[in-house]
Amino acid sequence: MIPSLAYGVFSRPGERPRVGAAAGDHIADLSTLPLEHAADFAEPSLNAFLARGRQAWDDTHAEIDDLLTRTRPTLIPAAQVSMHLPFEVADYVDFYSSEHHATNVGRIFRPDGEALSPNWRHLPIGYHGRAGTVVVSGTPIRRPHGQLGPGEFGPSQRLDIEAEVGFVVGTPAPEGRVATADFAEHVFGVVLVNDWSARDIQRWETVPLGPFLGKSFATSISPWVVPLAALEHLRVAPPPADPPLLPYLSGSEPWGLDLELTVRLNGTVISRPPFRHMYWTAAQQLAHLTVNGASLRTGDLFASGTVSGPEPDQLGCLLELTWNGEHPLTLDDGTQRAFLADGDEVVISAAELGEVSGRIVG
């Protein structure tokens, strides 16, 4: 599944990786086209092009569109290539921006307390992940080992998925403080994300601090980066904020996106999470990420957190879908799953973004 407009890094057997543009079921080798920045596309990542900024991105897109429609260059069948990680990940931050997801998790783990923490509606909560374990779609995911409880060590028995949307930074901000109004000047494009999670390791280690080994073993992203400009028609207003936001998180630009994700486990559709319900937008996440002066670098990746909607078939992780394993899912082949088994394959897709997949190995 290839999105209609996207950039990725590909290679054929015996060839070096370079940048291509999606063209239906084919790929245009951008390093061979008469483009102003063709040299950037001979590189094995998008980073050189990402660093050029919004004007270069827009101009290049117009150039590519003109060349593909006017000159009809030779295209490479997508079935003949291998896809690679599309950009070098500088830093990785994962947020927790779905009110439905956060409320469900609170109800599961704090049934007698408040579902949402007191700060949740005041700021986008997140954690810093591990850039070095971000992998491209199709990379096998090895089941992590870790501490599961007092004196207990072994492979995770509660391996989970998190269906997310990620945002790729192009233009850096060395001194941070990116306003919500400047979001589109810094973010190049969008990818799908599966932030694999070992729930048993995570629960034991996250007292009193946040996610660590339960999250850092692997994060999968789709091979195609869809430019932010290509998603303009999907922009919607986020849910109303209550209480009112501080000024640095406010803004007139509506940066919600009306995307629908589909989650398949071994071919069975188990959920269709809608992204439009996310309480915090990517523009607000970026503003919060940098408000303390934290620098922004080309290749930074930040993700939305689990995308969950209000309905039972719109939940973005097995923790919610099975209510922490109490109600296992029945797949089309008759097998049941509370959490992931070895050999399971998860595919998360969206019409505009392509797909991200991964198979669990022991």
Side-chain angles (χ1 to χ4, degrees):
M1 182 180 181
I2 301 177
S4 58
L5 171 67
Y7 296 82
V9 173
F10 75 98
S11 67
R12 290 186 291 189
E15 295 180 346
R16 54 180 175 70
R18 67 269 196 200
V19 178
D25 292 330
H26 291 72
I27 297 172
D29 183 347
L30 298 183
S31 69
T32 65
L33 298 183
L35 299 167
E36 180 179 356
H37 302 301
D40 291 349
F41 301 130
E43 299 294 323
S45 84
L46 276 164
N47 289 57
F49 179 59
L50 297 182
R52 292 193 179 276
R54 171 62 54 192
Q55 190 62 58
W57 306 337
D58 292 345
D59 291 347
T60 300
H61 169 59
E63 283 185 279
I64 294 170
D65 187 59
D66 178 64
L67 286 169
L68 292 182
T69 56
R70 181 174 53 82
T71 66
R72 297 187 179 276
T74 301
L75 301 177
I76 301 169
Q80 296 181 2
V81 309
S82 296
M83 300 302 297
H84 305 273
L85 197 67
F87 59 98
E88 296 175 20
V89 183
D91 280 311
Y92 170 53
V93 174
D94 195 29
F95 284 94
Y96 189 49
S97 295
S98 165
E99 184 172 4
H100 300 291
H101 172 67
T103 299
N104 287 333
V105 171
R107 288 172 177 163
I108 290 170
F109 292 128
R110 297 184 297 275
D112 299 322
E114 289 293 328
L116 290 178
S117 58
N119 62 348
W120 196 92
R121 289 192 180 92
H122 291 266
L123 55 89
I125 294 173
Y127 73 92
H128 284 274
R130 188 171 179 83
T133 50
V134 176
V135 297
V136 72
S137 174
T139 303
I141 304 301
R142 188 166 297 280
R143 183 177 297 273
H145 288 59
Q147 289 197 30
L148 310 177
E152 184 180 0
F153 179 89
S156 171
Q157 300 302 308
R158 291 178 171 253
L159 187 55
D160 200 356
I161 63 169
E162 290 194 347
E164 307 189 15
V165 175
F167 298 84
V168 182
V169 172
T171 309
E175 297 180 358
R177 299 180 181 87
V178 176
T180 55
D182 295 329
F183 169 71
E185 295 301 313
H186 292 272
V187 170
F188 170 75
V190 183
V191 293
L192 285 172
V193 175
N194 187 348
D195 194 40
W196 306 89
S197 301
R199 299 299 186 188
D200 37 12
I201 296 172
Q202 180 184 359
R203 188 171 187 188
W204 173 234
E205 73 183 0
T206 51
V207 181
L209 297 180
F212 188 30
L213 300 187
K215 294 280 194 175
S216 62
F217 59 97
T219 299
S220 298
I221 66 170
S222 51
W224 296 101
V225 184
V226 177
L228 198 64
L231 302 175
E232 279 280 340
H233 63 293
L234 297 177
R235 288 175 59 178
V236 294
D242 181 24
L245 301 176
L246 289 172
Y248 80 95
L249 292 171
S250 301
S252 58
E253 293 286 320
W255 272 113
L257 290 172
D258 189 11
L259 298 165
E260 182 177 270
L261 280 55
T262 299
V263 183
R264 290 179 172 84
L265 174 54
N266 297 341
T268 300
V269 175
I270 60 172
S271 182
R272 297 187 187 276
F275 193 68
R276 64 183 177 276
H277 293 293
M278 301 297 277
Y279 188 90
W280 296 105
T281 70
Q284 292 167 327
Q285 292 166 354
L286 187 60
H288 187 67
L289 191 161
T290 60
V291 72
N292 67 344
S295 63
L296 199 62
R297 296 190 291 172
T298 298
D300 280 355
L301 171 68
F302 64 100
S304 61
T306 303
V307 181
S308 289
E311 302 301 327
D313 61 351
Q314 296 178 334
L315 306 177
C317 64
L318 293 173
L319 178 69
E320 295 174 86
L321 286 163
T322 70
W323 211 252
N324 199 23
E326 292 181 15
H327 307 290
L329 301 174
T330 300
L331 305 183
D332 289 346
D333 63 2
T335 61
Q336 291 191 321
R337 290 292 186 276
F339 292 95
L340 297 174
D342 288 353
D344 283 352
E345 182 181 44
V346 177
V347 180
I348 302 168
S349 60
E352 301 83 2
L353 302 177
E355 66 181 35
V356 56
S357 68
R359 187 181 297 275
I360 305 302
V361 298

